Amino acid sequence: MLNYLWCFMILIGIGYGAFTGRLPDLTTAALDSAKEAITLAITMLGVMSFWTGMMKIAEHAGVIKKIEKLLSPFLDFLFPEIPREHKARELIATNITANIFGLGWAATPAGLKAFEELQKLNKHKERATAAMCTLLIVNISSLQLIPINIIAYRSQYGSADPSAIVGPAIFATAISTLTGVLFAKAAAMYSARVRR
């Protein structure tokens, strides 16, 4: 569906440029945008590589295990059906930690592995469990204390104060995460009641 949407927008842009006689401007903008995209990709590759490496070091140093213990009451509340020593809990803790530091790209591999582990616990393989849905909601809403990616974007585009986004980001993601958690718990309670 998104492919059709992008194709439609590109065709509209080209059609408008041709209709108004601004095709040379369109070509220049396309080339400038391509150059800018490469520059941004290189910047973000450096940021992502650094923080993904830091998460790996933290995992090998046992920091993730300590964070899992610290997050244990939260994980027990959100994922009561996951056994305490299951690998999924560590992966979920890694995912949440990466998201808290605004490292969505570093959070994705841990999130995907957590889903694989949760699927092993799933008795009905053709549908998602409450834990899977909750993880998806928590991952998407992702409370962020330090939005590293956004700070990097703002820095790349010449912001006078790239970190000015921190306060609003904490507020917005705290609200989205709280809303997501409340929704996940309500949906799990409703699902349990329907099954009875």
Side-chain angles (χ1 to χ4, degrees):
M1 182 64 181
L2 280 177
N3 289 339
Y4 293 119
L5 182 62
W6 282 111
C7 184
F8 175 73
M9 290 192 307
I10 289 169
L11 290 175
I12 291 290
I14 292 170
Y16 181 79
F19 183 73
T20 58
R22 299 182 70 185
L23 274 178
D25 292 338
L26 185 68
T27 304
T28 302
L31 292 174
D32 288 346
S33 295
K35 182 177 99 177
E36 196 172 307
I38 295 296
T39 304
L40 180 61
I42 290 169
T43 299
M44 295 313 293
L45 178 65
V47 171
M48 186 181 100
S49 299
F50 174 75
W51 285 106
T52 303
M54 291 300 284
M55 291 299 291
K56 243 345 177 188
I57 291 168
E59 184 182 335
H60 288 299
V63 173
I64 299 298
K65 274 285 188 199
K66 288 178 182 168
I67 290 172
E68 181 191 346
K69 284 191 172 102
L70 188 68
L71 290 175
S72 196
F74 182 69
L75 295 176
D76 289 341
F77 172 72
L78 282 180
F79 306 100
E81 63 273 26
I82 302 175
R84 278 233 166 189
E85 298 304 316
H86 199 274
K87 177 73 174 163
R89 284 177 63 102
E90 182 181 334
L91 293 165
I92 291 169
T94 303
N95 178 271
I96 290 171
T97 304
N99 275 323
I100 285 173
F101 289 113
L103 307 169
W105 293 336
T108 301
L112 292 173
K113 287 179 185 173
F115 274 103
E116 287 175 7
E117 291 298 322
L118 290 173
Q119 184 66 359
K120 292 175 186 175
L121 296 172
N122 190 355
K123 293 177 183 160
H124 306 285
K125 302 291 186 194
E126 69 282 352
R127 65 177 184 231
T129 63
M132 289 174 167
C133 295
T134 302
L135 175 57
L136 184 62
I137 289 169
V138 169
N139 184 55
I140 290 169
S141 64
S142 80
L143 172 66
Q144 292 185 9
L145 299 180
I146 308 167
I148 299 287
N149 290 342
I150 302 301
I151 291 170
Y153 287 135
R154 288 171 54 88
S155 178
Q156 174 71 28
Y157 288 109
S159 172
D161 186 9
S163 62
I165 194 73
V166 171
I170 291 171
F171 178 74
T173 59
I175 297 295
S176 69
T177 301
L178 179 62
T179 304
V181 166
L182 291 175
F183 176 80
K185 292 312 279 181
M189 287 183 348
Y190 174 76
S191 176
R193 193 173 298 154
V194 167
R195 277 192 221 123
R196 286 184 204 158

